[in-house]
Amino acid sequence: MSRAPNAARRSESSRRAILTATAELCSEDGYGRLTIEAIATRAGVSKKTIYRWWPSKGAVVLELLDEAASVAVDPPDTGDLATDLRALLTEVIGLLTPPHNSPAIGLIAEALHDPDLARDLRERLIQPRIATFKERLRRAQETGQLPPDADLDVALDLLYGPLYHRMALHLGMPDSSHLDSLIAHVLRALTPPPSAGVPEQRRESQTGVS
Amino acid sequence: MSRAPNAARRSESSRRAILTATAELCSEDGYGRLTIEAIATRAGVSKKTIYRWWPSKGAVVLELLDEAASVAVDPPDTGDLATDLRALLTEVIGLLTPPHNSPAIGLIAEALHDPDLARDLRERLIQPRIATFKERLRRAQETGQLPPDADLDVALDLLYGPLYHRMALHLGMPDSSHLDSLIAHVLRALTPPPSAGVPEQRRESQTGVS
Amino acid sequence: MSRAPNAARRSESSRRAILTATAELCSEDGYGRLTIEAIATRAGVSKKTIYRWWPSKGAVVLELLDEAASVAVDPPDTGDLATDLRALLTEVIGLLTPPHNSPAIGLIAEALHDPDLARDLRERLIQPRIATFKERLRRAQETGQLPPDADLDVALDLLYGPLYHRMALHLGMPDSSHLDSLIAHVLRALTPPPSAGVPEQRRESQTGVS
Amino acid sequence: MSRAPNAARRSESSRRAILTATAELCSEDGYGRLTIEAIATRAGVSKKTIYRWWPSKGAVVLELLDEAASVAVDPPDTGDLATDLRALLTEVIGLLTPPHNSPAIGLIAEALHDPDLARDLRERLIQPRIATFKERLRRAQETGQLPPDADLDVALDLLYGPLYHRMALHLGMPDSSHLDSLIAHVLRALTPPPSAGVPEQRRESQTGVS
DNA sequence: ACGTAACCGAGACGGTACGTCTGGTCTTCAA
DNA sequence: TTGAAGACCAGACGTACCGTCTCGGTTACGT
């Protein structure tokens, strides 16, 4: 019969101390070494206070990333699709490229056997970015940079997929030219079978990249 | 100054018991609940014996998968590229689709913060499959199903990437039609910009898929 | 510099609720399981309110016993000393014989490492009873049932001592015949060394018992 | 399904370290401040190791006292009963008179709400001393210092009772003259109603005390 | 009569210690 | 002289209460 704590009376200073301590410890020792005990000690906070507001250390880190992300709800829009996709992918590459032991990677690892955390991760971090991504593609359809019937879900898979693939298998994130090549391939895949002048349009947008 | 154990005197029956126990426990409780202690108890083996031959529980599971995989070194070759890619991807989908709590997923999760395990995983399980995959693409180039300058690394990223993407974010494995669509898109991406009869060839291979 | 609360404004209903809840919890789970938190919850009272008026859970229980005790200030006096001593001892036996987990015993246990509580316990529960006990013996001296120079402190020790001895070591409270025997021995101890007809006097008083 | 640990393989050095640490902490901070955690830390031992062999901190302290006691199985026997009783009682007074925060008192307090510990305490510490005490009285009966039908259980109650009474109520241990007086009274109580030369014998023993 | 002091409920907070768990190492003993 | 059995150190886990502390709301006194 554990009743929910009263969020109104929550101590913001404790919350801040916890997130700060988590960030520090995470960058010092890596997500793997991160411990609720250590967070509590570093933050000068009772373990109970952490457990009161978060179900697991993963949830704390998720909130940390959530804050840090400060999601740009509006997608970048320079007018050139490839450039904007590059920007979006580069942000994710940043999250998945550990200087040491990335919190994002740790979070994904933990979510792999914690369905609750997985759901939170998806809802709070991933879905907003997916929406942003699709919004940009939708604009591209409006401007004719992409055909109106292009499958945006496939685009999502093809563009983000490689990053997770490489993360999961420790294959190294794509460098700048890999990235350009990937984007070019995917844009080509999304264009309709060659019939008329559509390809020219695509080529124009690619030209804009260089 | 820990001396290496003498592999020649290793007890094969212990090894078998350990792997069997690991398999059982893994399918009963899932990788997450798996414990060296539990393996030792179930296998009737000392913990020391496990630590003597494997550095971590991940390594045990890796060996388990390695055996079970008995990789078909030769790629499938029905003559139709899309069909064969489908077969290759479907195998991976099987590994990444947990009936319960897949050992493969657990292994990937653990490898995310264990570089040694990651290396072993890559060398023993992943690279052989990548080689097989590329071998099939190379044959496709020889038969003209793919252009000779197609970037096989990009193909790898685009085809396997989506699976890991979906695994990592719990988005659900692609179903049959998703898969067809992905393969079709990727094959289109790999063909050169429309100039000659190549597109026809591609369309043929797509027809073969349906 | 915590100022003393104003007793005049104290809420009697809270006090009652706290004592009632304490009594219930004590009889349900025993003194050992009793916690301030549980009392507060059961009584529908803030923990602060308890701490405002009592220094410890022991103090609450002490007040509970104090109320329940409703000390008979006047000692029993049937005219027969042994009978009256029996009555006095029987009351204490009742307190120290747990049907379950006696609050009195719990209180004594806690007082063993809480000097403040020990003092309160002595002053509020014990001393009045000792005074009553001695008052009865004094009357016995006046009526000649005890010699005028009988050592009343020794009598106290000899009569109550066995009860605490048995409580402390879980030896079981004396039954009816033990009790008679104890009283008889102690009365004999208090009589002066045999010189004249004194023994007869004692025997008379014993006869009065039947 | 917790299997019992194998006592044969128990580490004597750990056991010693634990008991030593317990003794130190007990005399430094008192029984009340004693903590399993602190014992483990001080002893350089895992908490698990303590819990493996003892059910509670009380049990550890009990074993400590048990060792320290190294009970003299043979009762003192100077030939004078009162003198020997004095010696026996003085030993107990020593245990129950805290220089600070006596382990024995803490143990008794804990046993008051821990029946298992109470049983152990009785069997390992108390009963042997009771047996020793009664053995001395039995010899006194043989030498005629006590009547053959003296009730030894009553003697036990009357002699040890006062000590526990005073301990429980923080009344202060009896000083030397109190003690003499108590013993004298009890010996008188154990002698039969005056009829023959017995009193002389008693008086002799009393003389021996002074 | 009305401001204000202080009690009240509620419960979040920093802490301490609990007893359990798992990981990896070290010791013992039987074959 | 190996290897099964398992005790050991280490320390994080999540829980239970502790006693302190705000926070509004509500008496009830004192001016």
Side-chain angles (χ1 to χ4, degrees), chain D residues 35-155:
Chain D
T35 281
I36 297 277
E37 301 241 359
I39 296 174
T41 299
R42 175 76 67 103
V45 140
S46 169
K47 283 201 289 176
K48 177 98 180 203
T49 300
I50 299 179
Y51 284 114
R52 179 150 37 221
W53 301 111
W54 292 277
S56 66
K57 79 167 180 177
V60 180
V61 173
L62 174 56
E63 184 155 334
L64 185 64
L65 288 185
D66 199 9
E67 285 211 334
S70 66
V71 184
V73 175
D74 291 325
D77 195 344
T78 62
D80 179 63
L81 179 56
T83 298
D84 294 342
L85 293 178
R86 229 186 111 100
L88 287 167
L89 293 179
T90 299
E91 190 201 352
V92 174
I93 289 175
L95 289 173
L96 300 184
T97 304
H100 179 228
N101 202 341
S102 152
I105 293 179
L107 208 47
I108 288 171
E110 190 148 320
L112 282 176
H113 38 252
D114 182 341
D116 293 338
L117 179 60
R119 186 178 31 71
D120 279 9
L121 174 61
R122 217 165 42 240
E123 291 176 0
R124 298 179 56 181
L125 282 189
I126 307 302
Q127 290 295 6
R129 286 155 198 274
I130 289 180
T132 300
F133 170 83
K134 286 191 178 171
E135 172 57 21
R136 181 62 186 87
L137 293 194
R138 223 169 281 121
R139 293 189 194 173
Q141 287 178 316
E142 289 167 5
T143 62
Q145 285 175 299
L146 282 181
D149 61 347
D151 187 329
L152 303 192
D153 287 313
V154 166

Side-chain angles (χ1 to χ4, degrees), chain D residues 28 53 96 98 104 115 165 170:
Chain D
E28 287 170 14
W53 301 111
L96 300 184
H165 178 221
H170 291 246

Side-chain angles (χ1 to χ4, degrees), chain C residues 152-166:
Chain C
L152 303 191
D153 286 313
V154 167
L156 183 73
D157 269 337
L158 294 181
L159 282 169
Y160 286 100
L163 307 186
Y164 289 91
H165 179 220
R166 285 152 177 266

Side-chain angles (χ1 to χ4, degrees), chain A residues 158 165, chain B residues 76 81-97 129 133 155-164 173-176 178-184 186-187:
Chain A
L158 294 181
H165 178 220
Chain B
L81 179 57
T83 298
D84 294 342
L85 292 177
R86 228 187 112 101
L88 287 167
L89 293 179
T90 299
E91 191 202 351
V92 174
I93 289 175
L95 288 174
L96 300 184
T97 304
R129 286 155 198 274
F133 169 83
L156 182 74
D157 269 337
L158 293 181
L159 283 169
Y160 285 100
L163 306 187
Y164 289 92
M173 285 294 131
D175 64 17
S176 187
H178 284 151
L179 198 53
D180 287 338
S181 176
L182 277 170
I183 293 171
V186 172
L187 290 180

Side-chain angles (χ1 to χ4, degrees), chain B residues 9 14 44-47 49 52:
Chain B
R9 318 191 101 197
S14 290
V45 139
S46 166
K47 284 201 290 177
T49 301
R52 181 148 35 222

Side-chain angles (χ1 to χ4, degrees), chain C residues 82 85-86 89 159 177-191 202 206, chain D residues 154 158 185 188-191 193:
Chain C
L85 292 178
R86 231 187 109 99
L89 293 179
L159 282 169
S177 64
H178 284 153
L179 199 52
D180 286 338
S181 175
L182 277 170
I183 294 172
H185 275 82
V186 172
L187 290 181
R188 188 184 309 151
L190 294 173
T191 59
R202 178 180 45 64
Q206 263 190 325
Chain D
V154 166
L158 294 181
H185 276 83
R188 187 185 309 149
L190 293 174
T191 60

